[in-house]
Amino acid sequence: MAAGEEEGARTGTGTESEAAVEELRSFKDLGVTDVLCEACDQLGWKVPTKIQVEAIPVALQGRDVIGLAETGSGKTGAFALPILQALLETPQRLFALVLTPTRELAFQISEQFEALGSSIGVQTTVIVGGIDTMSQSLALAKKPHVIIATPGRLVDHLENTKGFNLRALKFLVMDEADRILNMDFETEVDKILKVIPRDRKTFLFSATMTKKVQKLQRAALKNPVKCAVSSKYQTVEKLQQYYIFIPSKFKDSYLVYILNELAGNSFMIFCSTCNNTQRTALLLRNLGFTAIPLHGQMSQNKRLGSLNKFKAKARSILLATDVASRGLDIPHVDVVINFDIPTHSKDYIHRVGRTARAGRSGKSITFVTQYDVELFQRIEHLIGKKLPAFPMQEEEVMMLTERVAEAQRIARMELREQGEKKRSRNDDDDTEEAIGVRNKVAGGKKKKRKTF
Ligand code: AMP
């Protein structure tokens, strides 16, 4: 049968999958081998998640899989377990390749492979931009079992690293395929598909089935089985969603008020630009909060550093652009604040999906100013409900304005100083923006990627 001609019939709805979860209580029931069941147990994975119930049995049967699932659903386990099981059966180097859109995701996926595969000695390598290519070439020379890569840097190695090829590859995973394609990685993905064997298993995971994803599916998958686990734009029940309607000029004061009101929680605050993320982090620090920024204009090391400090709970507030709104596995976020309202309503779902994970409860608060009413209405329309207002004491907020104004002044000064230092050191050459520019200078046809 021609590639992608027919699609398997196993499209699970939420309810069907729930029934399946009832029926299949363990990884063993799904056909996972004992040593990997033990690994799941050690990670505290008692029962498989819905996407795992749907995808693992068909993947173990050797079928290609399209998984419609988002980060947080357990999809990494859904593709990692069948790959590790196949690796156990026929050990081989350069066995699997996982393509993913961002560096952070790549590291997370590699951590899960290593955690699940530690007892069977699996070796993984992460190949992403912003990191020295020489050390990556050395890691590739050791021929790891699994490579987790962003497409751009992998193509660099395929073209320039002597002795490295993927001609024996058995598994290809395209994780968050919709994002890979939206980030203009289409050419790179095509190049990769051309140099790996056609005779392989392919898993394609995507939060949404866009036209581009369908095209990729037709080009890359053979007779795949579709596994979908939740209806599209749902937010979980244990998430309490609120909005506040406030004048734009008092946003900072309201933010400080809410952080004080909900003190003791961990917060993820979303801003629309790198600059506002940095500014707000400085502002909050000036007011004594343990806040840390995460955005695309920081170096790779700084981004990982921020994320790790937040994950280790050394910082209680992570300020991020949408680069962090999807994909990052940050299990303990109690409150998500949309400080700047998302311009794309779908980003709302991804942002608030950072809290109320794995059965825990969580809150989200969206700031709506006089300029954001229409965007907010679109969000309410998308999620199909009217949100309640978060209760506030306006007088108490106003009492904060003076202190906040002083902190704003200092933050602006610090931001200016940081900008000047950066310009004089010219040390920001590993930002995504600079990489994009470098690619251009190097004569590549790549478009400059947006930095968020
Ligand atoms: P993912 O969607 O793959 O990014 O996974 C999100 C989180 O769910 C990760 O922290 C995983 O460790 C966790 N996870 C995956 N599968 C299970 C499971 N069966 N039970 C509990 N947690 C899981």
Side-chain angles (χ1 to χ4, degrees):
M1 196 167 300
E5 203 170 84
E6 188 207 309
E7 210 169 75
R10 207 186 140 109
T11 306
T13 62
T15 8
E16 276 166 36
S17 303
E18 265 157 35
V21 172
E22 282 299 306
E23 258 168 56
L24 296 166
R25 294 204 161 269
S26 68
F27 284 98
K28 201 170 172 57
D29 294 329
L30 302 181
V32 177
T33 192
D34 287 348
V35 55
L36 292 174
C37 288
E38 269 165 40
C40 293
D41 197 52
Q42 274 174 10
L43 286 181
W45 299 6
K46 299 291 174 225
V47 286
T49 65
K50 287 180 189 173
I51 187 67
Q52 291 163 357
V53 169
E54 290 285 324
I56 291 175
V58 283
L60 288 177
Q61 281 164 21
R63 299 286 301 269
D64 281 4
V65 172
I66 303 172
L68 287 181
E70 293 177 15
T71 298
S73 60
K75 67 183 164 71
T76 313
F79 62 74
L81 287 166
I83 290 175
L84 291 169
Q85 190 145 326
L87 183 63
L88 262 174
E89 282 160 16
T90 48
Q92 185 205 296
R93 300 263 156 189
L94 299 175
F95 187 72
L97 166 67
V98 182
L99 294 177
T100 191
T102 67
R103 305 162 191 183
E104 283 82 3
L105 271 170
F107 283 106
Q108 273 173 210
I109 294 168
S110 132
E111 276 166 23
Q112 285 204 45
F113 263 102
E114 300 219 330
L116 288 169
S118 64
S119 63
I120 61 170
V122 70
Q123 286 159 14
T124 70
T125 295
V126 172
I127 301 293
V128 292
I131 287 176
D132 159 50
T133 37
M134 188 53 94
S135 58
Q136 291 179 345
S137 301
L138 291 173
L140 290 173
K142 289 186 187 151
K143 299 195 185 330
H145 300 106
V146 184
I147 297 173
I148 300 109
T150 48
R153 180 55 70 90
L154 184 75
V155 168
D156 280 354
H157 282 287
L158 283 166
E159 289 175 348
N160 302 315
T161 299
K162 264 203 184 124
F164 169 59
N165 69 68
L166 292 172
R167 289 198 286 266
L169 197 76
K170 294 288 181 290
F171 280 87
L172 169 69
V173 180
M174 289 181 281
D175 181 48
E176 306 230 346
D178 48 351
R179 289 183 74 200
I180 291 183
L181 298 175
N182 284 344
M183 289 169 79
D184 289 330
F185 278 130
E186 222 166 337
T187 327
E188 286 84 351
V189 171
D190 284 345
K191 280 188 183 164
I192 294 165
L193 288 174
K194 282 201 182 100
V195 299
I196 59 175
R198 288 175 75 87
D199 186 18
R200 57 157 202 270
K201 306 278 175 282
T202 309
F203 303 153
L204 184 154
F205 281 82
S206 188
T208 47
M209 197 28 113
T210 60
K211 283 222 170 73
K212 282 185 184 173
V213 176
Q214 276 168 350
K215 195 174 145 211
L216 178 62
Q217 173 207 318
R218 284 194 295 274
L221 277 73
K222 280 189 208 139
N223 189 19
V225 178
K226 197 186 218 178
C227 304
V229 289
S230 60
S231 63
K232 259 163 116 194
Y233 306 113
Q234 268 178 0
T235 46
V236 292
E237 278 162 29
K238 291 204 169 159
L239 170 68
Q240 295 171 288
Q241 304 173 75
Y242 299 96
Y243 77 95
I244 57 169
F245 185 54
I246 51 165
S248 148
K249 65 175 178 179
F250 292 126
K251 273 173 103 171
D252 288 344
S253 300
Y254 277 90
L255 179 64
V256 173
Y257 170 83
I258 286 172
L259 293 175
N260 282 333
E261 280 297 292
L262 301 177
N265 286 299
S266 63
F267 296 87
M268 198 156 172
I269 302 176
F270 284 100
C271 303
S272 56
T273 61
C274 299
N275 197 53
N276 202 27
T277 309
Q278 191 72 22
R279 182 204 70 92
T280 316
L282 291 170
L283 170 95
L284 293 179
R285 275 195 220 168
N286 291 335
L287 289 163
F289 293 99
T290 59
I292 197 153
L294 178 79
H295 56 74
Q297 274 180 3
M298 292 161 65
S299 71
Q300 171 67 1
N301 277 346
K302 280 192 177 153
R303 281 161 73 171
L304 282 177
S306 283
L307 194 57
N308 287 337
K309 277 183 193 148
F310 184 68
K311 273 188 174 173
K313 305 191 184 186
R315 301 286 185 280
S316 60
I317 304 172
L318 181 71
L319 290 110
T321 52
D322 277 302
V323 89
S325 75
R326 275 218 238 172
L328 294 182
D329 181 24
I330 306 164
H332 69 281
V333 179
D334 302 308
V335 186
V336 167
I337 297 180
N338 287 314
F339 184 60
D340 292 326
I341 197 161
T343 358
H344 301 292
S345 314
K346 282 179 206 163
D347 283 335
Y348 176 86
I349 313 276
H350 300 303
R351 288 182 181 188
V352 301
R354 300 298 100 207
T355 184
R357 287 155 77 90
R360 294 161 67 155
S361 56
K363 273 192 190 59
S364 73
I365 304 172
T366 299
F367 282 39
V368 185
T369 72
Q370 65 272 36
Y371 308 114
D372 308 323
V373 178
E374 202 186 319
L375 287 172
F376 183 62
Q377 284 170 340
R378 271 193 231 156
I379 291 170
E380 285 192 323
H381 180 72
L382 181 77
I383 58 176
K385 57 178 146 196
K386 292 256 168 241
L387 299 188
F390 184 76
M392 285 181 307
Q393 303 289 332
E394 316 281 329
E395 320 78 69
E396 286 184 27
V397 180
M398 289 306 125
M399 278 158 62
L400 293 167
T401 51
E402 213 168 297
R403 271 187 67 212
V404 170
E406 177 60 10
Q408 282 170 333
R409 197 182 59 77
I410 300 170
R412 271 197 303 274
M413 225 160 60
E414 289 169 332
L415 203 59
R416 232 186 350 259
E417 276 166 18
Q418 285 181 353
E420 276 159 17
K421 255 192 216 154
K422 220 172 186 180
R423 270 192 295 282
S424 68
R425 279 203 320 260
N426 196 15
D427 71 343
D428 58 343
D429 55 351
D430 59 351
T431 60
E432 282 181 354
E433 196 153 42
I435 290 161
V437 172
R438 245 187 280 141
N439 286 338
K440 240 183 175 175
V441 172
K445 286 199 188 105
K446 278 179 212 157
K447 283 181 229 159
K448 187 173 132 192
R449 291 197 180 96
K450 253 178 166 172
T451 311
F452 290 103

